[in-house]
Amino acid sequence: MMYSQPTGYLDALGNSHPLHPRQQTVTSFTLYKYSILDTLSVQTTPSISYGWKRHNGSTSGLKLGDLPIDLMWRFLNARPERYIPALSLFAGVSMPTGDYSRLGRTQDGIGTGTYVFRAALTEQSTYTLPGQHELRLRVWGTFRRALTTARLRDVTSYGTDTGFRGKGQPGMSGQSGFSLEYGVNQKWVLAMDLARDWANGARVRGYDGKGKSVDFTRASTGDWLIAPAIEYSWSPRFGVIAGVSAYFAGHNTGTVISPQIAFNSVF
Amino acid sequence: MRSGHTFLALLLLIGSLGVARGEDTGNSLASGSQVPDVPKPQWYTGSLVSPSGALSQKGVLAW
């Protein structure tokens, strides 16, 4: 469960500006991960969100976002005796299940309307620090690229207005980052993520309500994100994590702060 | 985008350093340090942003 609210806006030069009114969103993510083989798993992350903005209404209800389905393959197993970390590849597609076109309300536009390919390379390793404290390091890089183009009509998640007819496609995007998880003891862990997001702007082509040709590409965006958290696991199979993610630098993006809490279980 | 690639390359380099102890991806017996004489493996829930972690960041366009 995640609440997010921008506290300001970073312009093209990275200068901060106040932002009013602020789009606020509560999103529930559920990551389902099923192990097919010891080294191969499939996962999906359906999301449901509700958004609102002061003096500007809200979403028309709970909104289902685009649905990603990914395969995860651990192609290098850990070999502790030779100090080799685990390496994994993710690959999948995000399905266009979220609303994106012919919207009754602007805030309902939470989907892209396109199938988006996703790939990632992840690394995982642990260290034992003095005092028998475990430190887990994860490093990752992700990449996303739209495979199709969305047909757009009227008010859409691409920022078009009533009368618009055309197509749109999100730009390529990605993220790289690392996380550190420090074991205070077996049950309590202090975690911290640091990540960098980048995205090329979306391309929109078509005709507006007056028949005028429209063809533009939105500005690229980028941000730096930090996410401290605390984990508590009362068994190897059950645990909770609570923390906050916050943007602290970037350009053409809101400085979003998101308190989050999650429950983790393994069956 | 270029700075992101540079950052990723640096992170992968750090992550692949030979001093790291590899491990499995969950709270199995292979978790924690994997040192045979450690009686209690560390338990994790996964961090907030990492791809196989607990949550996805930025919703529809993120992991």
Side-chain angles (χ1 to χ4, degrees), chain A residues 78-100:
Chain A
R79 298 181 67 180
E81 71 281 7
R82 296 185 65 180
Y83 304 103
I84 296 174
L87 294 178
S88 300
L89 274 177
F90 288 63
V93 173
S94 180
M95 312 290 176
T97 53
D99 291 347
Y100 66 97

Side-chain angles (χ1 to χ4, degrees), chain A residues 80-81, chain B residues 21 29 33-40:
Chain A
E81 71 281 7
Chain B
R21 290 199 179 102
L29 292 176
S33 69
Q34 294 191 4
V35 178
D37 57 359
V38 174
K40 288 172 129 185

Side-chain angles (χ1 to χ4, degrees), chain A residues 76 83-87 123-125 127 137 139, chain B residues 9-20:
Chain A
L76 181 63
Y83 304 103
I84 296 174
L87 294 178
E123 181 272 349
Q124 187 166 253
S125 54
Y127 308 82
L137 168 69
V139 182
Chain B
L10 181 61
L11 292 182
L12 292 176
L13 176 63
I14 293 171
S16 61
L17 290 178
V19 296

Side-chain angles (χ1 to χ4, degrees), chain A residues 80 123-124 126 144 247 260, chain B residues 15 21 24 34 55 57 61:
Chain A
E123 181 272 349
Q124 187 166 253
T126 61
R144 297 177 290 270
Y247 295 6
Q260 307 175 23
Chain B
R21 290 199 179 102
D24 204 338
Q34 294 191 4
L55 297 183
Q57 189 265 328
L61 290 179

Side-chain angles (χ1 to χ4, degrees), chain A residues 20-24 52-58 107:
Chain A
H20 294 285
R22 297 167 174 174
Q23 175 70 50
Q24 300 174 74
W52 70 96
K53 191 185 285 187
R54 192 174 182 185
H55 305 309
N56 200 19
S58 64
Q107 296 192 52

